[in-house]
Amino acid sequence: LVSIMCYFNLTIATRTLNGFLFYTSTVYITSNTLHLSKNVNIGTAILGGFFLYDLCLYDGFDQFGLELLHFLFPLYLILIVASVILLPKYKCLNSQRLHKAIGPRIIPVLTTITWISFSHISWAVINSLHFTDICNTKTQVCHKVWIYDGDLEYFGSLKHIILGIIAIALLICVLIPIAVITLFGDLLRRCISKKMFLNFLDAFQASYRYRYGFWVGVRMMLPILIVLLITMRLFSMLEPHQVEIGIVVILIFILSFQIITNPFRGIQFNRCLPESLKRKMTERLSEKIANLLDMSFLLNMIALFSFIATGESEYVETMLVLSRVIAYCEFLLILIYHFLEYTCLGASLIEKLPCMVVRIKRFLKFKSARSNEDEIGSTSASTSRVNTVYLELKRNKEEDSTCSKSEGGNSNDVRSEDPGNEDFFNRANHLRVPLLSSPSASLQ
């Protein structure tokens, strides 16, 4: 995963993946509310980075083990990227080639994985701290248990104590610091001048224009807000349709702000466009493309949740499929753009594209010439016979002139003796000259 992200530069710093990652995380988090089927949810989970969807590693693998994996896997990815960053600093390891290949992209990859992991860890923390009450109707005694496993008493069993400690530790040590850095990063620049921190913050805010760097923090907080709305529904504080309406209101707020401010920077078009289009691609136009791309995913989600809140339940699955098809088609175009713009193969393909176009044109021209040859087959056959006779007469004439010169005579006497040859030569030249402009005649 880290290698693919480095090779294709699939990071939030490129301004292309922000909307898609927000779409997949929102749809996956609300999967229970949307009543997604298992097959539909697997694709959203994988593309959104939720790689541990419904895994069963061994017989007896329970919700406790799955929740631990939801905590550990994002941290494992961050550890891989951090190790790649730190390897070149050790002189005993010859990692200069690796650092030269992926060095400029490794910090944006780290921020992208951190952005994805923030949603995953937030979702896992809230799930770990959910509880419900189980009451005995005879004795009227109630016990708090973990909502996903009634056998685990809430902070009373060893397993839930472990989950609770991990959840609270990640909340204090990971989630809150990342939220503060992304929301108040511009203020922290004045206090912290370390290069590593500034590079990390620049990679987070690279998608947004000056003075709008805080917007990445706002967008990172929104999945948490959606999870809180779903939690309120679980505690019967909200009705199901009120959750969808709340999500629509949040999405409309984001869309309205982005329409007014256009916070995204422009998308890079250095390699993927030919020179004629590259001259027309101004910075303002590239900024509009970046903002419209993100708005398209927001409009997709607004239409989806509005339909779910007001529509009939039997058409929800159809609407979900339509929404996912549109989102996946946009994601496919994004992958093609990253292949052409950021990879060596894409760059070589763009360089060879004019030559390939010329070869295709030549091939089509040759095919049209062959088809014309079939249409004028009889004419071509007669032309071939005329050319053959003309070449034979010319050869005979040269032989006669050579013989006359060797005999001491005048070569002009040969033509004067047979005036009919002059007329035939004139007619042969009159027929032959226009025929030579045809590919078939010149070939014959």
Side-chain angles (χ1 to χ4, degrees):
L1 173 66
V2 174
S3 302
I4 291 174
M5 293 178 69
C6 288
Y7 183 73
F8 287 95
N9 200 15
L10 294 172
T11 63
I12 57 175
T14 58
R15 281 83 72 182
T16 54
L17 289 179
N18 304 63
F20 180 75
L21 291 177
F22 185 67
Y23 172 86
T24 51
S25 61
T26 304
V27 172
Y28 181 77
I29 288 171
T30 57
S31 57
N32 293 329
T33 305
L34 299 176
H35 304 291
L36 287 174
S37 64
K38 185 174 181 179
N39 294 331
V40 173
N41 204 12
I42 288 176
T44 306
I46 293 175
L47 291 177
F50 292 83
F51 307 101
L52 303 175
Y53 173 76
D54 280 356
L55 282 180
C56 183
L57 300 180
Y58 55 86
D59 189 15
F61 189 72
D62 56 359
Q63 188 67 27
F64 168 77
L66 183 60
E67 208 64 34
L68 281 179
L69 284 179
H70 282 299
F71 282 128
L72 298 177
F73 190 72
L75 299 178
Y76 167 70
L77 291 178
I78 295 174
L79 180 62
I80 291 177
V81 180
S83 62
V84 174
I85 294 174
L86 296 175
L87 277 178
K89 296 184 178 181
Y90 292 95
K91 297 181 179 180
C92 58
L93 297 175
N94 187 10
S95 57
Q96 294 181 357
R97 186 174 181 182
L98 175 65
H99 184 68
K100 185 178 180 181
I102 64 176
R105 299 177 180 179
I106 196 64
I107 297 294
V109 168
L110 175 62
T111 56
T112 304
I113 292 178
T114 304
W115 194 93
I116 297 173
S117 302
F118 185 86
S119 300
H120 296 188
I121 295 174
S122 303
W123 179 62
V125 165
I126 295 175
N127 287 345
S128 299
L129 299 179
H130 271 181
F131 66 91
T132 188
D133 292 325
I134 295 180
C135 299
N136 190 336
T137 56
K138 295 181 180 180
T139 60
Q140 298 298 323
V141 177
C142 296
H143 298 278
K144 292 184 182 297
V145 297
W146 187 33
I147 193 171
Y148 294 104
D149 191 347
D151 294 333
L152 300 182
E153 187 177 356
Y154 192 73
F155 279 100
S157 62
L158 179 61
K159 287 186 176 180
H160 191 265
I161 289 174
I162 295 173
L163 280 180
I165 292 174
I166 293 175
I168 294 173
L170 290 176
L171 177 64
I172 296 173
C173 300
V174 177
L175 298 183
I176 293 178
I178 291 176
V180 172
I181 289 172
T182 53
L183 285 173
F184 307 104
D186 293 331
L187 296 176
L188 293 175
R189 287 178 186 272
R190 303 175 183 178
C191 305
I192 303 175
S193 59
K194 290 186 177 181
K195 184 178 179 181
M196 187 67 184
F197 172 78
L198 295 177
N199 291 338
F200 186 75
L201 185 59
D202 289 338
F204 256 119
Q205 299 181 350
S207 299
Y208 302 96
R209 294 191 292 126
Y210 180 65
R211 293 181 181 177
Y212 294 105
F214 69 93
W215 193 241
V216 64
V218 174
R219 288 171 66 107
M220 290 176 69
M221 296 297 116
L222 292 175
I224 300 177
L225 185 58
I226 294 172
V227 171
L228 292 177
L229 289 175
I230 297 172
T231 304
M232 295 173 68
R233 172 182 173 270
L234 293 175
F235 287 100
S236 301
M237 300 173 63
L238 292 175
E239 296 295 329
H241 69 279
Q242 293 176 338
V243 176
E244 284 99 22
I245 293 174
I247 295 173
V248 170
V249 171
I250 294 171
L251 295 174
I252 290 176
F253 166 73
I254 301 172
L255 181 63
S256 302
F257 180 83
Q258 293 190 183
I259 290 175
I260 295 172
T261 60
N262 289 323
F264 283 94
R265 297 178 187 269
I267 297 177
Q268 177 178 318
F269 292 100
N270 292 334
R271 294 180 178 178
C272 61
L273 291 179
E275 292 295 332
S276 58
L277 294 178
K278 196 183 297 183
R279 298 190 192 98
K280 300 178 182 179
M281 185 58 64
T282 60
E283 184 177 355
R284 189 172 182 180
L285 181 59
S286 63
E287 289 180 359
K288 287 184 178 180
I289 293 174
N291 285 279
L292 288 174
L293 179 63
D294 190 80
M295 290 177 192
S296 65
F297 289 103
L298 293 175
L299 288 172
N300 191 346
M301 287 188 286
I302 290 172
L304 174 63
F305 287 102
S306 299
F307 180 84
I308 294 172
T310 59
E312 298 180 4
S313 58
E314 59 184 5
Y315 298 109
V316 170
E317 194 76 19
T318 304
M319 186 63 186
L320 278 170
V321 172
L322 180 61
S323 173
R324 285 157 49 85
V325 167
I326 296 173
Y328 291 170
C329 289
E330 290 183 275
F331 180 65
L332 181 61
L333 294 177
I334 291 171
L335 286 180
I336 294 173
Y337 160 77
H338 278 264
F339 172 75
L340 296 176
E341 181 68 26
Y342 295 105
T343 63
C344 299
L345 292 177
S348 61
L349 183 63
I350 292 295
E351 291 177 357
K352 295 178 180 179
L353 186 61
C355 183
M356 294 173 62
V357 172
V358 170
R359 290 181 179 181
I360 292 173
K361 288 182 179 180
R362 288 178 181 176
F363 177 75
L364 295 176
K365 187 176 181 180
F366 175 74
K367 294 291 289 184
S368 62
R370 291 293 299 270
S371 61
N372 292 333
E373 180 183 353
D374 295 337
E375 293 177 0
I376 57 171
S378 58
T379 307
S380 299
S382 60
T383 304
S384 176
R385 288 194 296 271
V386 170
N387 291 335
T388 303
V389 172
Y390 170 72
L391 292 175
E392 289 180 355
L393 289 175
K394 186 176 180 181
R395 190 181 302 109
N396 292 336
K397 181 183 176 182
E398 291 176 353
E399 291 177 356
D400 293 341
S401 62
T402 304
C403 294
S404 62
K405 285 181 181 180
S406 61
E407 293 174 359
N410 191 358
S411 60
N412 294 327
D413 297 340
V414 178
R415 182 170 295 181
S416 61
E417 290 176 358
D418 190 2
N421 287 341
E422 182 70 21
D423 296 334
F424 182 84
F425 275 108
N426 290 335
R427 288 195 301 273
N429 284 324
H430 179 72
L431 290 172
R432 183 174 180 270
V433 171
L435 288 173
L436 286 175
S437 62
S438 174
S440 59
S442 60
L443 181 62
Q444 291 173 353

